[in-house]
């Protein structure tokens, strides 16, 4: 797919929306995947789209009926806006709303732009001690909060995290903040393992070689017991298989990384040991929690930012994100001109 920047007119906020002067935006693996493959999960590109869904901005204009924000407020954008009317929304599972409209999910444009309009209800005001880059990282941190909540991470949990990309590392930081006692992070890429160690992961394990059975027993040795919770963030079928075999009886595996649709996994073994397989999609009311984790200093996301680009160098930034194996973790694009 062709990736380029273009000039567009500045959008005007509709009722209930605010216009944002965009500040910082993180590049996500899904953005890169979209660019390279033109599709992801059940979304296919049929016309050009603006990428970007991990972003912060400053309110530059208020649409009608907006009362919760003022011009000049700095906000983190919660990109997926549900209908707020259906049964799922009313039950508080708004991430599963079938009418959900999300930044950079066809046909809706993303927010890698100078200006963007978004539902004021889904903009989260940032306090003075949280900067715009941290604001941008609230989105992937919310993914981690939701995954840890789905997994039931609590004080004393023993956790396996498969994959040391940005989401895996944010799951690590979140699980630790939620009180997990032992956490093992597995990864195939040596640079990423090194980086995980650098941000404080004690138990790292290379899963580059070895059968899933061998790796499961290495994970048990590393943690001193089998994990009660496994959070699969690599999207790799082998990673999922490792998680299923490694998780202790009665535990659970949360699937965060996007797996292919058809995967061969040890289902019977998992079922007979009552290991629950749990899906995880985006976040539900997680932005306030993610923000609290940052404000209270329980999670520091700043070390995850390894590279920064300007908006006009976006193509270079995406090429960098695509090459990936140089130890880069989170690449941030600064959208504002100053
Ligand atoms: Zn993302
Ligand atoms: Zn809904």
């Amino acid at each position: 797919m062709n990736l380029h920047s273009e000039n567009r007119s500045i959008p005007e906020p509709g009722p209930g929306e605010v216009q944002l002067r965009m500040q910082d935006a993180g590049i996500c693996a899904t953005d890169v995947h979209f660019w390279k493959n033109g599709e992801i999960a059940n979304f296919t590109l049929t016309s050009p789209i603006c990428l970007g869904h991990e972003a912060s901005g400053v309110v530059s204009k208020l649409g009608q009926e907006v009362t919760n924000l003022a011009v000049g407020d700095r906000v983190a954008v919660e990109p997926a806006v549900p209908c707020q009317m259906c049964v799922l929304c009313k039950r508080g599972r708004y991430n599963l709303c079938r009418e959900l409209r999300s930044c950079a999910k066809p046909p809706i444009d993303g927010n890698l732009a100078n200006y963007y309009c978004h539902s004021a209800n889904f903009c989260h005001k940032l306090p003075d001690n949280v900067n715009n880059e941290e604001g941008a990282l609230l989105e992937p941190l919310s993914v981690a909060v939701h995954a840890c909540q789905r997994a039931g991470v609590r004080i004393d949990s023993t956790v396996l995290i498969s994959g040391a990309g940005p989401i895996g590392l944010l799951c690590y930081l979140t699980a630790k903040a939620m009180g997990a006692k032992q956490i093992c992070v597995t990864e195939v890429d040596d640079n990423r393992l090194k980086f995980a160690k650098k941000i404080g992961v004690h138990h790292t394990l290379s899963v580059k070689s070895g059968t899933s059975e061998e790796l499961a027993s290495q994970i048990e040795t590393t943690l001193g017991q089998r994990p009660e919770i496994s959070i699969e963030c690599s999207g790799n079928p082998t990673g999922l298989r490792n998680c299923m075999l490694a998780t202790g009886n009665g535990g659970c595996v949360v699937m965060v990384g996007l797996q292919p649709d058809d995967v061969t996994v040890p289902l019977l073994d998992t079922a007979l040991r009552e290991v629950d397989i749990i899906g995880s999609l985006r976040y539900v009311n997680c932005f306030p929690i993610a923000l609290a984790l940052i404000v209270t200093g329980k999670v520091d996301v700043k070390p995850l930012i390894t590279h920064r680009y300007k908006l006009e160098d976006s193509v270079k930034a995406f090429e960098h994100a695509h090459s990936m194996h140089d130890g880069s973790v989170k690449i941030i694009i600064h959208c504002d001109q100053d």
Side-chain angles (χ1 to χ4, degrees):
M1 303 272 147
N2 172 283
L3 179 72
H4 64 270
S5 47
E6 63 183 34
N7 282 319
R8 289 192 184 176
S9 52
I10 296 175
E12 288 297 317
E17 287 186 343
V18 285
Q19 182 195 67
L20 300 171
R21 199 172 82 238
M22 298 312 296
Q23 296 299 306
D24 289 292
I27 298 183
C28 174
T30 62
D31 291 318
V32 177
H33 196 91
F34 249 148
W35 166 38
K36 287 293 163 189
N37 304 296
E39 55 162 31
I40 193 155
N42 45 356
F43 294 101
T44 306
L45 275 186
T46 50
S47 56
I49 193 171
C50 180
L51 293 170
H53 61 270
E54 305 180 352
S56 58
V58 176
V59 175
S60 48
K61 226 181 226 188
L62 302 180
Q64 285 168 14
E65 299 153 28
V66 174
T67 53
N68 64 324
L69 292 169
V71 169
D73 283 347
R74 294 183 310 111
V75 298
V77 176
E78 178 170 352
V81 180
C83 79
Q84 303 168 63
M85 308 280 279
C86 73
V87 172
L88 286 162
C89 281
K90 285 179 179 165
R91 282 187 192 149
R93 301 196 71 180
Y94 68 80
N95 59 326
L96 305 177
C97 172
R98 295 177 72 181
E99 303 299 323
L100 192 116
R101 294 165 58 85
S102 181
C103 302
K105 288 283 174 296
I108 317 267
D109 276 325
N111 45 25
L112 254 178
N114 291 123
Y115 288 90
Y116 191 77
C117 290
H118 197 70
S119 165
N121 257 343
F122 288 79
C123 289
H124 301 268
K125 191 174 166 177
L126 300 174
D128 289 343
N129 60 343
V130 175
N131 69 29
N132 295 331
E133 291 186 341
E134 293 173 297
L137 278 167
L138 273 195
E139 197 274 349
L141 182 58
S142 296
V143 170
V145 168
H146 187 58
C148 287
Q149 287 185 334
R150 294 278 291 156
V153 175
R154 54 183 167 72
I155 293 169
D156 206 37
S157 295
T158 302
V159 180
L160 166 67
I161 292 169
S162 162
I167 294 292
L169 295 176
L170 289 167
C171 282
Y172 162 81
L173 294 171
T174 304
K176 205 172 109 188
M178 288 179 171
K181 151 187 76 172
Q182 301 273 35
I183 309 171
C184 175
V185 176
T186 63
E187 170 61 55
V188 290
D189 183 87
D190 289 335
N191 282 328
R192 289 202 149 172
L193 278 177
K194 237 185 268 167
F195 190 88
K197 278 227 175 294
K198 216 172 79 185
I199 67 155
V201 181
H202 283 300
H203 302 305
T204 57
L205 183 69
S206 171
V207 287
K208 211 164 32 181
S209 58
T211 65
S212 291
E213 286 77 5
E214 285 163 359
L215 293 170
S217 90
Q218 283 177 31
I219 289 162
E220 183 176 356
T221 308
T222 304
L223 287 169
Q225 67 174 81
R226 296 172 100 177
E228 299 153 327
I229 290 166
S230 294
I231 305 179
E232 207 306 300
C233 303
S234 74
N236 186 314
T238 309
L240 179 60
R241 191 184 163 79
N242 295 347
C243 285
M244 289 171 76
L245 289 175
T247 304
N249 296 4
C252 71
V253 176
V254 176
M255 291 172 59
V256 185
L258 297 179
Q259 295 283 333
D261 240 338
D262 293 308
V263 176
T264 304
V265 287
L267 261 191
L268 181 62
D269 170 78
T270 311
L272 293 181
R273 299 191 300 107
E274 293 195 0
V275 171
D276 296 337
I277 311 291
I278 298 173
S280 188
L281 177 71
R282 297 197 185 92
Y283 20 69
V284 182
N285 297 315
C286 295
F287 271 64
I289 298 169
L291 185 56
L293 287 173
I294 292 179
V295 169
T296 57
K298 288 203 162 67
V299 167
D300 184 6
V301 293
K302 292 191 293 288
L304 266 53
I305 302 169
T306 52
H307 299 84
R308 294 171 173 86
Y309 286 86
K310 289 185 171 156
L311 187 61
E312 52 267 36
D313 297 324
S314 292
V315 174
K316 253 191 252 168
F318 271 81
E319 276 159 3
H320 187 170
H322 182 58
S323 67
M324 228 151 61
H325 295 290
D326 61 348
S328 67
V329 178
K330 188 46 91 180
I331 298 176
I332 291 274
I333 296 178
H334 186 62
C335 301
D336 204 12
Q337 271 126 343
D338 48 68

